[in-house]
Amino acid sequence: MRKKRVYLDYAAATPLDRRVAKSMRPFESEKFANPASVHNEGIVARRVVAQARTEVARLLNVRSEEIIFTGGGTEADNLAITGIVEKAREKGIAAPHIITTNIEHPAILETCRRVTKWGGSVTFVPVQASGLVDPKHIAAALKPETVLVSVQLVNSEIGIIQPLRAIATVIAEYKATHGDTLSAFSELGYPYFHTDASQAPNYLDISFQKYGVDLMTLDGVKIYGPKGIGVLAIKRQVAIAPIIVGGGQERGMRAGTENVPAIVGFAAALTRTVQLREKETERLRGLQKYFIQNLKENFPRNVSIINDDCQKSVPNNVTICVRNGQEAELLVVRLDALGIACSAGSACTNLSTATYSYVIEALETASLSVLNDCKSSSIRFSFGRGTTRRDLDLTLIALRSIIK
Amino acid sequence: MRKKRVYLDYAAATPLDRRVAKSMRPFESEKFANPASVHNEGIVARRVVAQARTEVARLLNVRSEEIIFTGGGTEADNLAITGIVEKAREKGIAAPHIITTNIEHPAILETCRRVTKWGGSVTFVPVQASGLVDPKHIAAALKPETVLVSVQLVNSEIGIIQPLRAIATVIAEYKATHGDTLSAFSELGYPYFHTDASQAPNYLDISFQKYGVDLMTLDGVKIYGPKGIGVLAIKRQVAIAPIIVGGGQERGMRAGTENVPAIVGFAAALTRTVQLREKETERLRGLQKYFIQNLKENFPRNVSIINDDCQKSVPNNVTICVRNGQEAELLVVRLDALGIACSAGSACTNLSTATYSYVIEALETASLSVLNDCKSSSIRFSFGRGTTRRDLDLTLIALRSIIK
């Protein structure tokens, strides 16, 4: 008999919820028309897209015309950053400035770096040893050319929850005190505040008002929804240019035939995960505590918990540093051989670089620790709807056989 | 009992083939992992993406690393044009020049227009009265700064098949004769030749060698595949920059978690439509002739066939001009009320502008006709796998009740 595998990589990808899948089916082979078509079949498609848009907007507490469906979270991040910078340059700001942190997702970091090729500039604010960004450091980086501040709500690697509300406050204070000395472009409302909230909806409220943001990225693949679909919610006062043109879809902000089944699925997935949020948060918080406690008892010396303070992170993430001289990549491979699927860093960095984690490195740099050995030996365990206490017990057994 | 509707808008959207849908299912809720993950689940996902890539590459007769999966045909067109222009500017070409025709899809036309905002320039070569572009006109437009020629293989509105091979020849001749007088950038191989072949695979060979192209766009939604997935095939000598960055997927050319089920579905759909191609082409050619003949017999005076010469267009497209003073939009709505789903122009232009067709307008301008009345009174009927002779008979009956 084939042994059951333990999947603890829900932060990288979630399975499509079967109820969500069912909601998508009618729009694949039957009601398949192009929502841009004039005929009845097109009207049906247009209507379900409008319904899905309204549903998503309600959950974010924005207007439905403020929801832009994209091909995924990465595209949404690209649209937010490139789109705002492009528009700012059109408006005559030759060197737009962006503020972000040094532990953002690669979709943010690389897009920001690219902006510097186009005459823009970026401040990568270092986070503290806890992984949290200090709003005072954001405040210190603000300047008249700043068009955008982008801070991820929940970090992809370590699950830490950033103080978005406090950051929104320092941005608002800057606008209030510098309004008259700001550039001629202050009537455009710069700087805007964007958050990549892809890792958040399963566990946190995602209403715009709670965080005071102007733009928010969401991703279907993280919320038990379909792949290839994301959202960029954009408050209507935000001046932004599209990155994909030709066809006028999504109010001209994202051209291309609407992916009707995926849009329907995204709305269904977001609705369902919001319904399950409280119960799942409580359940996973229990598993998180259980796992951390057992890790501490089992490995008092050679394992440390990166996100030890549960209150500062989402309940589905336990990231550990293994101090036995083995590289994270090897640890993940050995755990995999024992039936445990977990991750070294976030999946999106595996392909490009990483035998080490730039996120953990940022934490170590901030901590002034002399050890600095966790950046290449940290493992992320991320839980989800399928995770049970038994999964964690099996993981602890596997870890015991690897970590002497 | 609800009357069966007649859907004659397959050029706007095709239903997802049920066998294709079945091939996608395992990768939705079961084998759902992120292909960038190191663990076994990730390896499985990576392997099926690689298999799909090889399958698509084989059908295009290119290498598998020359296949880039995108979020759809529009994104692929944007990547081709913006990506080549962006890279050319990085290489020091301050004002890259593009050649295209005046009847391309909006994804090409709008992307080209945007290039002019960035210091580039575009020649929109007018087509002839037949809808065909004259390769000599392309040749005449070529100049040392030309980095790209983009001509759609099959026009979205009127189904006309452009002489790509002859265009490739004039480009090759230009390179051969002007090689030493071309700019310092001629070692990059400019100008490249791109085709949007989205409307082609159901009826035409799509191998690169047949047409002599360097880049080709394909779209899942036109080949009975999933929505939200497209391909840009790029010969490896082509210098191109990504438009979506962050994560390194698709050889750095298109960031974002791979949409595994859609990628699998795209490959399955392309394989299947190539298998069915010959039989379907013959079947639809028969229906096309039948429909045209009956239109001529029924409406000798007030209907003319835009794409009368079947040999010059794909077999699933009959576009007519109705000369009874009614606007196309109204005709489509009236046919819709009688159970016939068809289109005025292509779906992608409906949202933005059109009570008239810029494609038909281009044909009328070229014909020097004094009438010039078809651009606002043309209707496209596009057939597909579900189309029967009975569908066309019902359409003829409906047309008779509308056109006096």
Side-chain angles (χ1 to χ4, degrees):
Chain A
M1 201 183 98
R2 198 178 148 79
K3 245 174 86 181
K4 186 187 167 286
R5 302 254 314 162
V6 174
Y7 180 83
L8 294 179
D9 202 12
Y10 286 90
T14 55
L16 179 62
D17 183 298
R18 288 185 192 277
R19 294 194 211 182
V20 171
K22 211 175 159 193
S23 74
M24 296 165 62
R25 296 287 177 256
F27 307 101
E28 294 175 340
S29 304
E30 290 155 46
K31 300 174 187 176
F32 61 84
N34 193 318
S37 295
V38 172
H39 46 64
N40 195 266
E41 286 80 352
I43 293 169
V44 168
R46 205 144 64 241
R47 196 179 291 147
V48 296
V49 169
Q51 281 167 351
R53 197 184 304 280
T54 303
E55 205 173 331
V56 173
R58 194 179 52 76
L59 295 167
L60 301 188
N61 207 359
V62 297
R63 292 159 181 270
S64 60
E65 66 267 26
E66 293 173 330
I67 299 294
I68 306 296
F69 289 109
T70 71
T74 291
E75 186 193 318
D77 283 346
N78 273 255
L79 175 55
I81 292 169
T82 305
I84 285 172
V85 166
E86 174 76 15
K87 194 66 169 185
R89 292 172 73 211
E90 279 177 26
K91 297 275 183 187
I93 303 178
H97 174 246
I98 299 175
I99 300 170
T100 187
T101 81
N102 61 347
I103 62 165
E104 297 297 304
H105 188 275
I108 297 291
L109 293 177
E110 287 190 35
T111 312
C112 284
R113 278 185 209 117
R114 194 171 52 166
V115 163
T116 62
K117 289 206 297 185
W118 301 329
S121 67
V122 186
T123 303
F124 296 97
V125 173
V127 296
Q128 305 166 92
S130 61
L132 292 173
V133 62
D134 185 339
K136 286 199 292 291
H137 295 167
I138 300 283
L142 287 164
K143 50 185 182 178
E145 306 80 47
T146 308
V147 296
L148 179 65
V149 177
S150 181
V151 178
Q152 200 174 18
L153 176 49
V154 174
N155 182 268
S156 310
E157 282 197 33
I158 57 172
I160 208 103
I161 303 164
Q162 298 292 357
L164 295 196
R165 183 78 247 177
I167 296 168
T169 302
V170 303
I171 295 171
E173 281 169 5
Y174 179 80
K175 284 188 203 178
T177 52
H178 294 72
D180 45 355
T181 59
L182 282 177
S183 70
F185 310 105
S186 59
E187 80 270 16
L188 290 167
Y190 296 128
Y192 304 133
F193 187 21
H194 167 254
T195 187
D196 181 334
S198 300
Q199 296 283 353
N202 302 329
Y203 312 110
L204 300 179
D205 186 353
I206 41 161
S207 81
F208 264 50
Q209 287 65 28
K210 183 171 171 69
Y211 304 108
V213 294
D214 300 304
L215 304 96
M216 181 184 285
T217 291
L218 294 174
D219 193 348
V221 77
K222 309 298 190 194
I223 57 169
Y224 304 83
K227 290 182 169 68
I229 185 84
V231 155
L232 184 65
I234 312 176
K235 294 298 287 179
R236 53 183 177 161
Q237 67 272 19
V238 172
I240 185 165
I243 54 177
I244 299 173
V245 298
Q249 291 91 349
E250 300 296 308
R251 291 194 300 115
M253 287 311 303
R254 201 272 182 175
T257 305
E258 296 89 341
N259 188 345
V260 182
I263 287 171
V264 168
F266 184 93
L270 192 62
T271 301
R272 180 148 172 77
T273 214
V274 167
Q275 282 165 355
L276 295 175
R277 185 189 286 154
E278 204 177 311
K279 215 177 110 197
E280 269 299 277
T281 299
E282 197 185 314
R283 191 180 75 83
L284 294 183
R285 192 64 85 190
L287 290 181
Q288 187 185 38
K289 283 181 183 157
Y290 173 80
F291 194 50
I292 289 178
Q293 189 188 329
N294 273 274
L295 285 166
K296 286 182 176 172
E297 284 172 14
N298 276 275
F299 312 101
R301 275 186 308 276
N302 42 18
V303 167
S304 52
I305 319 289
I306 302 284
N307 47 3
D308 202 353
D309 184 350
C310 291
Q311 293 314 310
K312 288 189 182 134
S313 67
V314 282
N316 79 321
N317 187 307
V318 174
T319 300
I320 66 170
C321 171
V322 182
R323 302 177 188 278
N324 70 342
Q326 289 184 39
E327 296 266 312
E329 192 93 356
L330 179 61
L331 291 166
V332 168
V333 170
R334 292 188 68 187
L335 283 169
D336 183 50
L338 295 169
I340 316 292
C342 61
S343 164
S346 107
C348 294
T349 51
N350 286 339
L351 281 178
S352 37
T353 49
T355 48
Y356 78 96
S357 157
Y358 65 90
V359 174
I360 308 291
E361 184 182 40
L363 269 50
E364 293 191 319
T365 304
S367 76
L368 305 172
S369 147
V370 284
L371 284 169
N372 277 7
D373 55 353
C374 284
K375 65 175 178 289
S376 54
S377 56
S378 290
I379 315 175
R380 175 185 72 184
F381 300 99
S382 53
F383 314 154
R385 291 189 197 153
T387 308
T388 61
R389 184 177 285 219
R390 184 173 148 70
D391 288 339
L392 303 184
D393 289 337
L394 290 169
T395 305
L396 288 163
I397 292 169
L399 280 170
R400 274 200 294 271
S401 79
I402 288 174
I403 307 171
K404 310 289 174 209
Chain B
M1 204 182 97
R2 198 177 148 79
K3 245 173 88 181
K4 187 186 166 287
R5 301 255 312 164
V6 174
Y7 179 82
L8 294 178
D9 201 12
Y10 285 89
T14 54
L16 179 61
D17 183 298
R18 289 186 191 277
R19 292 194 214 184
V20 171
K22 211 175 158 192
S23 75
M24 297 165 61
R25 297 286 177 258
F27 307 101
E28 293 176 340
S29 304
E30 289 154 47
K31 300 172 186 178
F32 61 85
N34 193 319
S37 294
V38 172
H39 46 64
N40 194 267
E41 286 79 353
I43 293 168
V44 168
R46 203 142 67 240
R47 196 178 292 146
V48 297
V49 168
Q51 281 167 351
R53 197 184 304 280
T54 304
E55 205 173 332
V56 172
R58 194 179 52 77
L59 295 166
L60 301 188
N61 206 0
V62 297
R63 292 160 181 269
S64 60
E65 66 267 26
E66 294 173 329
I67 299 295
I68 307 295
F69 289 110
T70 70
T74 291
E75 187 194 318
D77 283 345
N78 274 254
L79 175 55
I81 292 168
T82 305
I84 285 172
V85 167
E86 173 77 14
K87 194 67 168 184
R89 293 173 72 212
E90 280 177 26
K91 297 274 184 189
I93 304 178
H97 174 245
I98 299 174
I99 299 171
T100 187
T101 81
N102 62 347
I103 63 165
E104 298 297 304
H105 188 275
I108 297 291
L109 293 177
E110 287 189 34
T111 311
C112 285
R113 278 186 209 117
R114 193 170 54 164
V115 163
T116 62
K117 289 205 298 184
W118 301 330
S121 67
V122 186
T123 303
F124 296 96
V125 172
V127 295
Q128 304 166 93
S130 62
L132 292 173
V133 61
D134 185 339
K136 286 199 293 290
H137 296 168
I138 300 284
L142 287 164
K143 51 184 180 177
E145 306 80 47
T146 308
V147 295
L148 179 65
V149 177
S150 181
V151 178
Q152 199 173 20
L153 176 48
V154 175
N155 182 267
S156 310
E157 281 195 35
I158 57 172
I160 207 104
I161 302 164
Q162 297 292 358
L164 294 196
R165 184 77 247 179
I167 296 169
T169 302
V170 302
I171 294 172
E173 281 169 5
Y174 179 80
K175 284 188 202 179
T177 52
H178 293 72
D180 45 354
T181 60
L182 281 176
S183 69
F185 309 106
S186 58
E187 80 270 17
L188 290 168
Y190 297 129
Y192 303 134
F193 187 21
H194 167 254
T195 187
D196 180 334
S198 300
Q199 296 283 352
N202 302 330
Y203 312 111
L204 299 179
D205 186 354
I206 42 161
S207 81
F208 263 50
Q209 287 64 29
K210 185 172 171 70
Y211 304 108
V213 294
D214 301 303
L215 302 98
M216 182 185 283
T217 292
L218 295 174
D219 192 350
V221 76
K222 309 296 190 196
I223 58 170
Y224 304 84
K227 290 183 169 67
I229 185 82
V231 155
L232 183 66
I234 313 177
K235 293 299 286 178
R236 53 183 176 159
Q237 67 271 18
V238 171
I240 185 165
I243 54 176
I244 299 173
V245 298
Q249 291 92 347
E250 301 297 307
R251 292 194 300 114
M253 287 312 303
R254 201 272 185 175
T257 304
E258 296 89 340
N259 188 345
V260 181
I263 286 171
V264 168
F266 184 93
L270 192 62
T271 301
R272 181 149 170 76
T273 213
V274 168
Q275 283 165 354
L276 296 174
R277 186 190 285 155
E278 204 177 313
K279 214 177 109 198
E280 269 298 279
T281 298
E282 197 186 313
R283 192 180 74 84
L284 293 183
R285 193 65 83 192
L287 290 181
Q288 187 185 37
K289 282 181 184 156
Y290 173 81
F291 194 49
I292 289 178
Q293 190 189 328
N294 273 275
L295 285 166
K296 286 181 175 171
E297 285 171 11
N298 276 274
F299 312 101
R301 275 185 308 276
N302 43 18
V303 167
S304 52
I305 319 290
I306 301 283
N307 47 3
D308 203 353
D309 184 350
C310 291
Q311 294 314 310
K312 289 190 182 132
S313 67
V314 282
N316 79 322
N317 186 307
V318 174
T319 300
I320 65 170
C321 170
V322 182
R323 303 176 187 279
N324 71 342
Q326 287 183 40
E327 296 266 312
E329 191 93 357
L330 179 61
L331 291 166
V332 168
V333 169
R334 291 187 67 187
L335 283 169
D336 183 50
L338 295 169
I340 316 293
C342 63
S343 164
S346 108
C348 294
T349 49
N350 286 340
L351 280 176
S352 37
T353 49
T355 47
Y356 80 95
S357 158
Y358 66 89
V359 175
I360 308 291
E361 184 181 41
L363 269 52
E364 292 192 319
T365 304
S367 76
L368 305 172
S369 146
V370 284
L371 283 169
N372 277 5
D373 55 353
C374 284
K375 65 174 179 287
S376 54
S377 56
S378 290
I379 315 175
R380 174 185 73 184
F381 300 99
S382 54
F383 315 154
R385 292 189 195 152
T387 307
T388 62
R389 183 176 285 220
R390 184 173 148 71
D391 287 340
L392 303 184
D393 289 338
L394 290 169
T395 305
L396 288 162
I397 293 169
L399 280 170
R400 275 200 294 272
S401 79
I402 289 174
I403 307 171
K404 310 289 175 210

